[in-house]
Amino acid sequence: MTRAWRLAWLPFLLGAGPAFAHSPVPGLEGFYIGMLHPFSTPAQALLMVGMGLLASGYASERERYHFAAFPVATILGLILGSSSADLDPAMFATAFAVCGLAALAPGRVHLLAVALVAVGGFLIGAASIPDAGPLRDRLFTMSGSLVGANLGLLYLFGIILVLKQRFTWDWVGIALRVAAAWVGAISLLMLALGLAGPVVT
């Protein structure tokens, strides 16, 4: 009986049509690619994590300034940036500065924090400009990058905030500062390796 039931599915399997792996809307596939782009390189990922750690250290009434500056700066980066620019050194340096502030003075020097988040947003936007192609496809991809970057920062901030609210022990704040220091150290190391260039043996 079991074998007959398995064989009953055979005509349906043989008669299955082709799978549609691509988006039915032309260009929409680029939107999904763009959403993942802000985390697609080490420089962008370290910068995004650093900004999440920095923003989560401030009181709730001040957080809105970070989330207002970031999308505006990202849009400016998408408009004014160039797809051929090498932004990794600038992103590593900004990630180091962001993480340094998050580790050494969490919740303080608010104007500097907002300025660093704005610089980070500009760099993320400028790094998300697609190569030359049809305008509609480029706009889809850039829109995806804008959404992905802002959702990414919001999720990073939310995860850290939930951790802080759920676990109220003193060591949680210390652990977040240590995490920021480690991300900053990795960013500085990557910056140094990038500036040093390839090793000749």
Side-chain angles (χ1 to χ4, degrees):
M1 183 72 176
T2 305
R3 186 175 180 183
W5 176 251
R6 288 177 183 172
L7 291 175
W9 287 99
L10 188 59
F12 295 101
L13 294 175
L14 294 175
F20 293 97
H22 300 285
S23 170
V25 179
L28 193 58
E29 182 182 0
F31 181 85
Y32 301 124
I33 295 172
M35 283 189 69
L36 298 175
H37 196 274
F39 295 91
S40 62
T41 67
Q44 293 179 88
L46 289 169
L47 181 53
M48 290 294 296
V49 171
M51 288 188 291
L53 287 165
L54 178 63
S56 64
Y58 290 87
S60 56
E61 63 271 10
R62 291 188 166 188
E63 291 159 0
R64 64 179 181 271
Y65 296 105
H66 300 104
F67 291 106
F70 184 78
V72 172
T74 306
I75 292 171
L76 288 175
L78 286 167
I79 294 171
L80 302 176
S82 171
S83 60
S84 60
D86 180 17
L87 298 174
D88 280 4
M91 285 191 285
F92 284 130
T94 306
F96 172 69
V98 164
C99 292
L101 184 58
L104 298 174
R108 289 176 285 181
V109 201
H110 184 244
L111 288 178
L112 178 59
V114 173
L116 287 173
V117 168
V119 171
F122 181 87
L123 292 171
I124 291 292
S128 300
I129 298 174
D131 295 329
L135 178 61
R136 182 182 62 181
D137 293 348
R138 286 168 57 87
L139 289 176
F140 268 118
T141 304
M142 288 191 290
S143 299
S145 297
L146 179 64
V147 172
N150 283 274
L151 282 179
L153 184 61
L154 188 62
Y155 273 104
L156 286 167
F157 169 80
I159 290 169
I160 297 169
L161 188 63
V162 167
L163 285 174
K164 290 169 66 175
Q165 290 177 345
R166 184 171 182 137
F167 305 103
T168 57
W169 305 304
D170 293 337
W171 64 264
V172 174
I174 297 172
L176 290 172
R177 294 177 73 172
V178 170
W182 271 105
V183 174
I186 294 169
S187 301
L188 185 60
L189 179 62
M190 295 295 288
L191 174 63
L193 290 174
L195 295 177
V199 178
V200 179
T201 57

